[in-house]
Protein backbone atom coordinates (compact mmCIF):
# COMPACT_ATOMS: atom_id res chain seq x y z
CA UNK A 1 0.00 0.00 0.00
CA UNK A 2 2.70 2.46 0.94
CA UNK A 3 5.04 3.56 -1.77
CA UNK A 4 2.55 2.70 -4.48
CA UNK A 5 2.70 4.97 -7.45
CA UNK A 6 -0.94 5.78 -7.72
CA UNK A 7 -0.40 9.06 -5.90
CA UNK A 8 1.46 10.93 -8.51
CA UNK A 9 3.12 13.92 -7.00
CA UNK A 10 4.23 12.32 -3.81
CA UNK A 11 6.13 9.66 -5.68
CA UNK A 12 7.54 12.08 -8.18
CA UNK A 13 9.10 14.00 -5.36
CA UNK A 14 10.62 10.83 -4.10
CA UNK A 15 8.45 10.83 -1.06
CA UNK A 16 6.36 7.80 -0.30
CA UNK A 17 3.36 7.52 1.94
CA UNK A 18 5.55 6.61 4.87
CA UNK A 19 6.70 10.16 5.25
CA UNK A 20 3.26 11.52 5.58
CA UNK A 21 1.54 11.79 8.87
CA UNK A 22 -1.45 9.88 7.69
CA UNK A 23 -1.94 8.03 4.46
CA UNK A 24 -0.87 9.38 1.13
CA UNK A 25 -1.81 12.53 -0.62
CA UNK A 26 -2.19 13.89 -4.05
CA UNK A 27 -1.53 17.53 -4.72
CA UNK A 28 -4.27 19.70 -6.03
CA UNK A 29 -4.08 23.12 -7.49
CA UNK A 30 -5.61 26.07 -5.73
CA UNK A 31 -8.97 25.69 -7.41
CA UNK A 32 -10.73 22.52 -6.68
CA UNK A 33 -10.66 20.86 -10.04
CA UNK A 34 -11.73 17.55 -8.73
CA UNK A 35 -12.59 16.15 -12.10
CA UNK A 36 -9.10 16.39 -13.47
CA UNK A 37 -7.52 14.71 -10.53
CA UNK A 38 -10.09 12.03 -10.78
CA UNK A 39 -8.89 10.85 -14.10
CA UNK A 40 -5.18 11.13 -13.92
CA UNK A 41 -4.34 10.36 -10.37
CA UNK A 42 -3.53 6.80 -11.15
CA UNK A 43 -0.35 6.93 -13.20
CA UNK A 44 -0.08 3.19 -13.36
CA UNK A 45 -3.31 3.13 -15.34
CA UNK A 46 -1.63 4.90 -18.21
CA UNK A 47 1.07 2.27 -18.42
CA UNK A 48 -1.35 -0.60 -18.66
CA UNK A 49 -3.64 -0.74 -21.61
CA UNK A 50 -6.78 -1.62 -19.87
CA UNK A 51 -7.59 -1.77 -16.19
CA UNK A 52 -10.82 -3.11 -14.84
CA UNK A 53 -11.42 0.29 -13.31
CA UNK A 54 -11.78 1.73 -16.78
CA UNK A 55 -15.20 0.21 -17.16
CA UNK A 56 -17.79 2.00 -15.13
CA UNK A 57 -21.46 1.70 -14.45
CA UNK A 58 -23.52 4.55 -15.89
CA UNK A 59 -23.14 7.60 -13.73
CA UNK A 60 -26.85 8.40 -13.87
CA UNK A 61 -27.73 5.10 -12.23
CA UNK A 62 -25.04 5.46 -9.62
CA UNK A 63 -26.01 9.04 -8.89
CA UNK A 64 -29.64 8.10 -8.50
CA UNK A 65 -28.89 5.43 -5.95
CA UNK A 66 -26.73 7.87 -4.01
CA UNK A 67 -29.37 10.56 -4.14
CA UNK A 68 -32.02 8.23 -2.82
CA UNK A 69 -29.76 7.04 -0.05
CA UNK A 70 -28.84 10.39 1.48
CA UNK A 71 -31.44 12.62 3.15
CA UNK A 72 -33.84 14.47 0.88
CA UNK A 73 -32.09 17.79 1.34
CA UNK A 74 -28.65 16.39 0.64
CA UNK A 75 -26.65 17.22 -2.45
CA UNK A 76 -23.85 15.36 -4.10
CA UNK A 77 -20.89 17.06 -5.71
CA UNK A 78 -20.11 16.10 -9.27
CA UNK A 79 -16.67 14.80 -8.47
CA UNK A 80 -18.16 12.73 -5.70
CA UNK A 81 -20.48 11.02 -8.17
CA UNK A 82 -17.64 10.29 -10.54
CA UNK A 83 -15.58 9.06 -7.68
CA UNK A 84 -18.22 6.63 -6.49
CA UNK A 85 -18.51 5.40 -10.06
CA UNK A 86 -14.87 4.37 -9.86
CA UNK A 87 -15.28 2.94 -6.39
CA UNK A 88 -18.08 0.78 -7.67
CA UNK A 89 -15.92 -0.77 -10.36
CA UNK A 90 -13.26 -1.33 -7.75
CA UNK A 91 -15.78 -3.01 -5.49
CA UNK A 92 -17.01 -5.33 -8.22
CA UNK A 93 -13.48 -6.29 -9.14
CA UNK A 94 -12.60 -6.76 -5.51
CA UNK A 95 -15.43 -9.19 -4.90
CA UNK A 96 -15.00 -10.96 -8.21
CA UNK A 97 -11.30 -11.62 -7.74
CA UNK A 98 -11.90 -13.15 -4.36
CA UNK A 99 -14.77 -15.27 -5.63
CA UNK A 100 -12.79 -16.32 -8.67
CA UNK A 101 -9.86 -17.40 -6.54
CA UNK A 102 -12.07 -19.61 -4.43
CA UNK A 103 -13.51 -21.09 -7.58
CA UNK A 104 -10.09 -21.98 -8.86
CA UNK A 105 -9.06 -23.50 -5.57
CA UNK A 106 -12.03 -25.78 -5.79
CA UNK A 107 -11.30 -26.54 -9.43
CA UNK A 108 -14.53 -25.06 -10.65
CA UNK A 109 -14.94 -22.91 -13.71
CA UNK A 110 -18.16 -21.11 -12.98
CA UNK A 111 -18.51 -18.50 -10.28
CA UNK A 112 -21.77 -19.12 -8.50
CA UNK A 113 -23.83 -17.26 -5.94
CA UNK A 114 -22.17 -18.94 -3.01
CA UNK A 115 -18.76 -17.81 -4.17
CA UNK A 116 -19.96 -14.24 -4.28
CA UNK A 117 -21.53 -14.38 -0.85
CA UNK A 118 -18.49 -16.04 0.60
CA UNK A 119 -16.24 -13.41 -0.94
CA UNK A 120 -18.32 -10.65 0.58
CA UNK A 121 -18.13 -12.25 3.95
CA UNK A 122 -14.39 -12.61 3.69
CA UNK A 123 -13.82 -9.06 2.54
CA UNK A 124 -15.75 -7.33 5.27
CA UNK A 125 -19.15 -7.03 3.63
CA UNK A 126 -20.84 -9.69 5.65
CA UNK A 127 -23.57 -7.23 6.55
CA UNK A 128 -24.78 -7.49 2.95
CA UNK A 129 -25.02 -11.27 2.95
CA UNK A 130 -28.32 -11.83 4.71
CA UNK A 131 -30.21 -9.11 2.83
CA UNK A 132 -28.78 -10.43 -0.41
CA UNK A 133 -29.93 -13.95 0.30
CA UNK A 134 -33.35 -12.54 0.97
CA UNK A 135 -33.39 -10.59 -2.28
CA UNK A 136 -32.35 -13.67 -4.20
CA UNK A 137 -35.03 -15.74 -2.58
CA UNK A 138 -37.70 -13.16 -3.29
CA UNK A 139 -36.54 -12.82 -6.83
CA UNK A 140 -36.75 -16.55 -7.39
CA UNK A 141 -40.19 -16.73 -5.88
CA UNK A 142 -41.34 -13.89 -8.06
CA UNK A 143 -39.99 -15.59 -11.13
CA UNK A 144 -41.77 -18.82 -10.33
CA UNK A 145 -44.99 -17.07 -9.49
CA UNK A 146 -44.89 -15.03 -12.63
CA UNK A 147 -44.37 -17.98 -14.87
CA UNK A 148 -46.88 -20.13 -13.07
CA UNK A 149 -44.70 -23.14 -13.52
CA UNK A 150 -44.05 -24.62 -10.14
CA UNK A 151 -40.89 -26.56 -9.75
CA UNK A 152 -39.20 -25.00 -12.72
CA UNK A 153 -36.13 -23.40 -11.37
CA UNK A 154 -35.10 -20.45 -13.44
CA UNK A 155 -31.59 -21.11 -12.29
CA UNK A 156 -31.52 -24.32 -14.26
CA UNK A 157 -31.63 -22.60 -17.59
CA UNK A 158 -29.41 -19.79 -16.58
CA UNK A 159 -26.77 -21.67 -14.71
CA UNK A 160 -24.51 -21.63 -17.69
CA UNK A 161 -22.53 -18.76 -18.92
CA UNK A 162 -24.92 -16.06 -19.92
CA UNK A 163 -24.54 -14.00 -22.98
CA UNK A 164 -24.94 -10.30 -22.81
CA UNK A 165 -28.05 -10.61 -24.90
CA UNK A 166 -29.82 -12.19 -22.04
CA UNK A 167 -29.55 -8.99 -20.12
CA UNK A 168 -29.03 -6.06 -22.32
CA UNK A 169 -31.99 -6.47 -24.66
CA UNK A 170 -35.54 -6.36 -23.47
CA UNK A 171 -36.17 -9.84 -24.67
CA UNK A 172 -39.54 -11.38 -24.24
CA UNK A 173 -39.63 -14.04 -21.62
CA UNK A 174 -40.28 -16.57 -24.29
CA UNK A 175 -36.73 -17.66 -23.83
CA UNK A 176 -37.54 -18.71 -20.34
CA UNK A 177 -41.09 -19.86 -20.30
CA UNK A 178 -41.81 -23.32 -21.49
CA UNK A 179 -45.28 -22.53 -22.67
CA UNK A 180 -44.05 -20.26 -25.40
CA UNK A 181 -46.30 -17.43 -24.45
CA UNK A 182 -45.13 -14.05 -25.47
CA UNK A 183 -44.71 -11.94 -22.40
CA UNK A 184 -43.16 -8.55 -22.13
CA UNK A 185 -41.27 -9.49 -19.08
CA UNK A 186 -37.54 -9.27 -18.81
CA UNK A 187 -35.33 -11.55 -16.92
CA UNK A 188 -34.91 -9.37 -13.90
CA UNK A 189 -38.00 -7.32 -13.88
CA UNK A 190 -41.17 -9.01 -12.95
CA UNK A 191 -44.26 -7.76 -11.25
CA UNK A 192 -42.85 -6.83 -7.96
CA UNK A 193 -46.13 -6.54 -6.25
CA UNK A 194 -45.44 -10.08 -5.28
CA UNK A 195 -42.37 -9.24 -3.36
CA UNK A 196 -42.91 -7.86 0.07
CA UNK A 197 -40.71 -4.94 0.85
CA UNK A 198 -37.36 -6.03 2.00
CA UNK A 199 -36.16 -4.13 4.97
CA UNK A 200 -33.68 -1.54 3.84
CA UNK A 201 -30.39 -1.82 5.58
CA UNK A 202 -29.49 1.03 7.84
CA UNK A 203 -26.09 2.33 7.12
CA UNK A 204 -24.76 5.00 9.36
CA UNK B 1 -37.72 -1.88 -17.54
CA UNK B 2 -34.41 -0.72 -16.45
CA UNK B 3 -31.66 -2.89 -17.68
CA UNK B 4 -29.71 -0.11 -19.22
CA UNK B 5 -32.23 2.63 -19.80
CA UNK B 6 -33.18 5.23 -17.29
CA UNK B 7 -36.88 5.06 -17.89
CA UNK B 8 -38.50 7.51 -15.55
CA UNK B 9 -41.11 5.71 -13.55
CA UNK B 10 -42.91 7.51 -10.81
CA UNK B 11 -42.43 5.72 -7.57
CA UNK B 12 -39.52 3.75 -8.83
CA UNK B 13 -36.88 6.21 -7.75
CA UNK B 14 -37.72 5.99 -4.12
CA UNK B 15 -37.91 2.28 -3.92
CA UNK B 16 -35.56 1.11 -6.60
CA UNK B 17 -33.44 -0.97 -4.34
CA UNK B 18 -36.30 -2.14 -2.17
CA UNK B 19 -39.00 -3.49 -4.37
CA UNK B 20 -38.24 -2.93 -7.95
CA UNK B 21 -35.87 -4.37 -10.46
CA UNK B 22 -32.17 -3.90 -10.28
CA UNK B 23 -31.32 -0.29 -10.91
CA UNK B 24 -27.94 -1.11 -12.37
CA UNK B 25 -27.37 -2.71 -15.76
CA UNK B 26 -26.30 -6.31 -15.28
CA UNK B 27 -24.59 -6.43 -18.63
CA UNK B 28 -22.19 -3.75 -17.51
CA UNK B 29 -21.65 -5.40 -14.17
CA UNK B 30 -20.84 -8.57 -16.00
CA UNK B 31 -18.35 -6.75 -18.20
CA UNK B 32 -16.53 -5.45 -15.16
CA UNK B 33 -16.51 -8.88 -13.56
CA UNK B 34 -15.13 -10.44 -16.71
CA UNK B 35 -12.27 -8.00 -16.80
CA UNK B 36 -10.85 -9.61 -13.69
CA UNK B 37 -8.12 -12.07 -14.54
CA UNK B 38 -9.01 -15.74 -14.84
CA UNK B 39 -12.74 -15.26 -14.74
CA UNK B 40 -14.44 -17.59 -17.16
CA UNK B 41 -18.08 -18.18 -16.32
CA UNK B 42 -20.42 -16.31 -14.09
CA UNK B 43 -23.72 -17.89 -13.28
CA UNK B 44 -27.06 -16.14 -13.01
CA UNK B 45 -27.16 -15.97 -9.23
CA UNK B 46 -23.64 -14.63 -9.03
CA UNK B 47 -24.45 -11.83 -11.43
CA UNK B 48 -27.67 -10.95 -9.67
CA UNK B 49 -26.05 -10.96 -6.26
CA UNK B 50 -23.11 -8.87 -7.42
CA UNK B 51 -25.39 -6.31 -9.00
CA UNK B 52 -27.57 -6.13 -5.94
CA UNK B 53 -24.55 -5.95 -3.66
CA UNK B 54 -23.24 -3.07 -5.73
CA UNK B 55 -26.45 -1.16 -5.12
CA UNK B 56 -26.07 -1.78 -1.43
CA UNK B 57 -22.47 -0.70 -1.60
CA UNK B 58 -23.33 2.60 -3.27
CA UNK B 59 -25.93 3.30 -0.62
CA UNK B 60 -23.59 2.29 2.14
CA UNK B 61 -20.72 4.43 0.91
CA UNK B 62 -22.95 7.41 0.22
CA UNK B 63 -24.73 7.34 3.56
CA UNK B 64 -21.62 6.67 5.56
CA UNK B 65 -19.65 9.44 3.88
CA UNK B 66 -22.53 11.88 4.03
CA UNK B 67 -23.20 11.28 7.69
CA UNK B 68 -19.58 11.85 8.59
CA UNK B 69 -19.03 14.70 6.20
CA UNK B 70 -16.76 17.53 7.22
CA UNK B 71 -18.94 20.44 6.14
CA UNK B 72 -22.16 19.74 7.96
CA UNK B 73 -23.89 22.97 7.00
CA UNK B 74 -23.61 22.68 3.27
CA UNK B 75 -25.48 19.36 3.16
CA UNK B 76 -23.35 18.42 0.26
CA UNK B 77 -21.33 15.27 -0.19
CA UNK B 78 -17.88 16.02 -1.50
CA UNK B 79 -14.96 13.99 -2.79
CA UNK B 80 -13.01 14.51 0.39
CA UNK B 81 -15.86 13.05 2.42
CA UNK B 82 -15.44 9.89 0.41
CA UNK B 83 -11.68 9.92 0.84
CA UNK B 84 -12.14 10.29 4.57
CA UNK B 85 -14.50 7.34 4.63
CA UNK B 86 -11.93 5.19 2.89
CA UNK B 87 -9.35 6.07 5.44
CA UNK B 88 -11.44 5.83 8.57
CA UNK B 89 -13.80 2.98 7.82
CA UNK B 90 -12.31 -0.50 7.76
CA UNK B 91 -14.85 -1.71 5.26
CA UNK B 92 -13.76 0.88 2.73
CA UNK B 93 -10.04 0.45 3.20
CA UNK B 94 -9.70 -1.18 -0.21
CA UNK B 95 -10.59 2.16 -1.74
CA UNK B 96 -7.70 4.12 -0.31
CA UNK B 97 -5.61 3.69 -3.44
CA UNK B 98 -8.21 5.21 -5.69
CA UNK B 99 -9.33 7.83 -3.21
CA UNK B 100 -6.19 9.66 -2.29
CA UNK B 101 -6.71 12.65 -0.12
CA UNK B 102 -6.04 15.95 -1.72
CA UNK B 103 -3.79 18.49 -0.18
CA UNK B 104 -2.79 21.93 -1.29
CA UNK B 105 0.79 22.06 -2.48
CA UNK B 106 1.70 24.71 0.03
CA UNK B 107 0.37 22.71 2.93
CA UNK B 108 2.17 19.63 1.71
CA UNK B 109 5.51 21.38 1.63
CA UNK B 110 4.95 22.80 5.06
CA UNK B 111 4.15 19.44 6.55
CA UNK B 112 7.15 18.01 4.78
CA UNK B 113 9.41 20.55 6.38
CA UNK B 114 7.86 19.77 9.71
CA UNK B 115 8.49 16.07 9.32
CA UNK B 116 12.06 16.63 8.29
CA UNK B 117 12.61 18.69 11.37
CA UNK B 118 11.15 15.91 13.47
CA UNK B 119 13.41 13.41 11.76
CA UNK B 120 16.42 15.48 12.53
CA UNK B 121 15.48 15.59 16.17
CA UNK B 122 14.66 11.95 16.54
CA UNK B 123 17.21 9.29 17.34
CA UNK B 124 17.27 6.67 14.63
Amino acid sequence: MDGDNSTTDASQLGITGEYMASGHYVLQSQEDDGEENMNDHDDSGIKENFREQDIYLPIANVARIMKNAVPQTGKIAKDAKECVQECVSEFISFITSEASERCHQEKRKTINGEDILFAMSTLGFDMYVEPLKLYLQKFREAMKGEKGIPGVSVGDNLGDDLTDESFSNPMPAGIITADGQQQNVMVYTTSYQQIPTVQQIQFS
Amino acid sequence: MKMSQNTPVKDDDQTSTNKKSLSLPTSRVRLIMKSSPDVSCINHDALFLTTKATELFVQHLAVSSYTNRAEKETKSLSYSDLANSAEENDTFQFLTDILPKKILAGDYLKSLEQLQEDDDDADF
Side-chain angles (χ1 to χ4, degrees):
Chain A
M1 205 69 121
D2 285 323
D4 69 84
N5 54 9
S6 66
T7 52
T8 59
D9 300 277
S11 56
Q12 277 164 15
L13 292 167
I15 307 295
T16 67
E18 285 127 346
Y19 286 90
M20 307 308 296
S22 58
H24 40 249
Y25 295 85
V26 64
L27 301 184
Q28 69 175 97
S29 55
Q30 292 301 112
E31 331 96 60
D32 188 44
D33 49 352
E35 285 93 339
E36 279 178 33
N37 286 333
M38 229 54 263
N39 292 324
D40 60 18
H41 67 70
D42 51 341
D43 259 357
S44 51
I46 297 168
K47 296 186 189 111
E48 297 162 49
N49 287 333
F50 193 68
R51 301 212 304 171
E52 52 263 28
Q53 287 88 339
D54 291 324
I55 314 175
Y56 305 131
L57 293 179
I59 195 165
N61 300 53
V62 172
R64 194 177 343 122
I65 299 174
M66 292 178 75
K67 193 137 196 346
N68 292 335
V70 301
Q72 200 82 10
T73 48
K75 292 187 287 266
I76 303 170
K78 181 168 182 242
D79 59 354
K81 290 181 197 173
E82 288 167 357
C83 165
V84 171
Q85 221 187 350
E86 293 185 23
C87 292
V88 156
S89 294
E90 188 76 16
F91 171 76
I92 294 172
S93 299
F94 194 41
I95 299 289
T96 305
S97 304
E98 184 68 28
S100 173
E101 205 180 292
R102 181 161 184 252
C103 238
H104 279 306
Q105 281 171 5
E106 300 185 0
K107 306 268 195 289
R108 282 182 285 113
K109 282 179 63 186
T110 306
I111 300 178
N112 62 31
E114 280 304 311
D115 296 323
I116 297 292
L117 292 175
F118 188 80
M120 282 197 237
S121 214
T122 309
L123 298 172
F125 295 99
D126 45 305
M127 67 294 246
Y128 297 177
V129 170
E130 286 311 315
L132 286 174
K133 284 185 184 168
L134 214 59
Y135 274 119
L136 187 62
Q137 188 190 337
K138 300 298 178 195
F139 173 73
R140 280 184 174 146
E141 284 170 12
M143 290 296 285
K144 279 188 197 159
E146 181 76 13
K147 301 298 170 283
I149 304 172
V152 171
S153 167
V154 175
D156 284 345
N157 293 335
L158 301 177
D160 307 310
D161 189 26
L162 301 160
T163 62
D164 278 352
E165 278 130 17
S166 309
F167 297 109
S168 54
N169 301 333
M171 301 199 82
I175 54 173
I176 300 182
T177 51
D179 61 6
Q181 263 185 327
Q182 204 58 272
Q183 293 181 29
N184 291 329
V185 174
M186 290 170 58
V187 177
Y188 288 118
T189 57
T190 62
S191 54
Y192 274 71
Q193 293 85 351
Q194 298 175 15
I195 300 179
T197 309
V198 177
Q199 177 96 20
Q200 189 165 26
I201 305 168
Q202 296 300 321
F203 296 120
S204 55
Chain B
M1 304 320 188
K2 5 194 36 162
M3 295 318 296
S4 41
Q5 326 283 2
N6 300 329
T7 319
V9 179
K10 288 179 230 357
D11 63 9
D12 191 63
D13 279 351
Q14 289 304 103
T15 57
S16 58
T17 52
N18 274 349
K19 288 192 247 174
K20 290 289 185 175
S21 56
L22 300 165
S23 45
L24 294 168
T26 51
S27 54
R28 194 75 67 86
V29 173
R30 186 170 176 275
L31 214 57
I32 299 172
M33 291 177 84
K34 294 279 269 185
S35 68
S36 270
D38 299 327
V39 169
S40 44
C41 301
I42 302 163
N43 92 347
H44 164 275
D45 284 357
L47 183 55
F48 176 86
L49 289 171
T50 304
T51 306
K52 208 66 192 166
T54 305
E55 289 179 15
L56 297 179
F57 173 75
V58 172
Q59 292 177 305
H60 188 182
L61 181 58
V63 167
S64 180
S65 305
Y66 185 82
T67 308
N68 298 320
R69 70 191 182 282
E71 298 285 324
K72 295 271 193 256
E73 289 106 28
T74 60
K75 297 205 190 309
S76 182
L77 179 67
S78 69
Y79 169 86
S80 52
D81 296 324
L82 295 165
N84 285 334
S85 267
E87 185 142 311
E88 285 151 26
N89 190 328
D90 284 344
T91 311
F92 300 132
Q93 279 282 302
F94 73 101
L95 295 171
T96 47
D97 277 357
I98 64 168
L99 290 177
K101 289 194 174 184
K102 294 183 197 175
I103 185 174
L104 292 173
D107 293 347
Y108 171 78
L109 292 170
K110 273 188 223 154
S111 62
L112 198 56
E113 284 166 15
Q114 183 63 45
L115 286 165
Q116 282 175 342
E117 279 169 38
D118 291 347
D119 272 356
D120 290 340
D121 293 342
D123 285 334
F124 263 23

